[in-house]
Amino acid sequence: RKNKKRVPSFRKLLRTSKIKLDNKLKNKQYKQQSAAKKYRKEQKKLREAVRDAISRKPFPLEECQKKQFAEKREEEEEDALPLDMMDEDDLKLMEDLAQKASFLTRDLSSNEPVHVKKRKHENVIDKYEKVPRHMQTEPEKELIHLLPIKDKGGIIPQTMEKPVLTVAQDEEEDTEEMEEAEDFNEEPLPVLTPEEMAAQRRQKLQERKMHIAALASAILSEPDNNIKKLKELRAMLMEQDPNVAVIVRKLVMVSLMEIFKDIVPSYKIRPLTEAEKATKVKKETQKLREFEEGLVSQYKFYLENLEQTIKDWKQRKLKKSNVISLKAYKGLAEIAVKCLCELLVALPHFNFHNNIIVLIVPLMNDASKMISELCFEAVKKLFKQDKLGYASLGVVKVISGLVRGRNYDVRPEVLKVFLHLRIKEVELQKDSEDIAPKKKFMTYKEKRKNLSRMQRKWKKAEEKLERELLEAEASESKEKKLKLHTETLNVVFVTYFRILKKAQKSPLLPAVLEGLAKFAHLINVEFFDDLLIVLHSLIASRGLSYRESLHCILSAFHILSGQGDVLNIDPMKFYTHLYKTLFSLHAGGTNEDIGIVLQCLDVMFAKRRKQVSQQRALAFLKRLSTLALHVLPNSSVGILASNRVLMHTFPKMDLLLDNESQGSGVYLPELDEPEHCNAQNTALWELHLLQRHYHPTVQKFAAHLIVGAPTEGSGALSLDLSQRPATELFEAYSMRGMTFNPPVASVTPRRKDTFFQMDSFIDEELNKQLQQHTCETAVHKPLDFAKHLKESYL
């Protein structure tokens, strides 16, 4: 039977023996170290015990030793036998015993060790118990421990008795202090002149500014180490000096806001769990945790201070100290609102952002115009820069709750903020490619079949690297973004429908209709019929202004041009109402609303060309040309650009360029039915007037339309005008800034001929009489105003 156990090789034996030797050496070194460590610990304990004993004695140890030595000597003298009565053997034995005395029987004043080898077995407590004690016949004196002195023998502790004052001395000192305080109070305060008071105030303010700057620069240079200075800086928000309190508080508010914007991390800090607090971590991790915890707490206290400042101003409430007047509270509240708005926009990812939203949104409806505008601008900026949608959803929810909670009694600007939401149609349409799971390039069997072992290994490494890169990017998925935008729009539409149902006479209705016009193409198809009925009833009630009715029309056609294409609805009543409304616009305040008309025309004709009849298109073309005569140049350019689109979209529009009538009937311009006004029997004579318009761009468009709006040839427009939509041209040639586009060329005035001889127009005889009269010396005679009265009496 063979032995299956293999004989170990020489290399294995050598390796094993080396490991054993290393372990043996380590054990030996460990034992030596532990023995030395143990010996050092015992020595240290013994030295501490002796040092404590020495420090507790208020009197020197030598006196006690002398007394004990004297008493022992007396007792020995009494009990000792004379040496001549002792044998030589007994005397020798006593001397040997004296040499073998243990450490505890020796004099404590000697520092020389005896029997060093036995020290590790000695008991420290027994040694401490044998230290001589002294009865406290006097009150224990209080000692002050001073810095020790180190010499060759070791460390010598130094103490000093604390001087004790008697009761009489204490009373005398108290009376002296009281007298000094009375004398100080009796001294009158120096009266300062206004110049001295202003100089003193400037000095105090400069000191506070320097202190704020020093703290802020220290925090920004090393936020981890100087996080406690945030508390010191925040304490200056409670400045009590009435001369500089307002300015210092404002400066501290703004400084803290800028500091938090700089040092706040780009992630949200969550509180640690109990398990995480219990676990041991590295020093760096612990330092980071302390920094984050301190940062969050100081940020929270700062926001609470800002909120309290705004509340005190709203409630017209003064603090007990009366350091700041009621008028100054308004300035403090404005600065606090500015800081909150900056933090709302700059830190949407950080803690307490929802709390800032809850503070800012009600202030949008504030009576103070400055504060409400600050909040509007902050929310608009937040909507524009919010790519994912978390912050937008939070703001929309709070606005919806505010409108409902105040029973729709809010300013229309609160709802107009919804128009700045970054929600597009593409982001809300689920593509099948995005939803479907991505197929792998090759299955496992195909890899085994087509790839070698090394290729499979490389393929696996590439896939792992791609997964890590995707995790590192931390890019939000389209589905999450889609979900947030859908939820946001649902809240917006719920708010709009609530107002349409319950508050149709509210001043919020124009903002609701404007919002529906923008987001109508995103509404669910199930609500289309009900919404169109509501919009038509609003228009038919005639309680709307022309602007509100234009928004109703625009909303209806946005609905029908999007997903509403599947609905078989003829919106003839909306065409009729727009045809009526056109002549309510003019060159005055309604000129800006031409932009809404241009949007309506684009949706009603360009995107629904197959559903529009020729009679309707001719009627609108004629009325728009007439309207172009009554509005400002930018509106005329936009209307003529829309007419150009109509002439290109509907091929038979050139009928209006001919004088011959096409059928029976006469054109009825006052009739409000576009289908029955016989527009085919008229001509566009307005274009000839527009050719003589003072604006050069209007002249170009009129000349272009007269020749049939050709795309090529001499009558064609330049690319700059032909490729731009009507709404863009309307904005480009706007006259809001009281400027003329293109600028008017300056004309140099003509010089008039000047005549140097002023008497060239006068007759010679008359000239001689004038010269003679001027040469004569004037004789001043006294005036008698009562002369005619005297003559009448005579």
Side-chain angles (χ1 to χ4, degrees), residues 346-405:
L347 305 176
H349 60 278
F350 198 57
N351 302 47
F352 309 114
H353 190 257
N354 289 333
N355 302 69
I356 299 176
I357 291 172
V358 173
L359 280 174
I360 290 294
V361 168
L363 293 175
M364 294 166 65
N365 195 40
D366 194 76
S368 174
K369 188 176 180 181
M370 181 181 177
I371 288 179
S372 61
E373 286 180 355
L374 281 173
C375 298
F376 285 138
E377 292 301 321
V379 174
K380 288 176 187 177
K381 286 181 184 176
L382 182 65
F383 283 163
K384 287 178 181 178
Q385 74 178 22
D386 186 21
K387 295 180 180 179
L388 185 60
Y390 280 116
S392 301
L393 178 59
V395 173
V396 167
K397 282 183 177 180
V398 176
I399 291 176
S400 178
L402 176 72
V403 172
R404 188 178 181 184

Side-chain angles (χ1 to χ4, degrees), residues 303-319:
L303 293 179
E304 287 175 352
N305 287 333
L306 296 181
E307 181 186 8
Q308 191 60 44
T309 304
I310 297 169
K311 281 184 178 179
D312 292 343
W313 171 67
K314 295 288 286 182
Q315 297 171 1
R316 304 293 189 272
K317 186 173 69 175
L318 284 172
K319 298 290 184 182

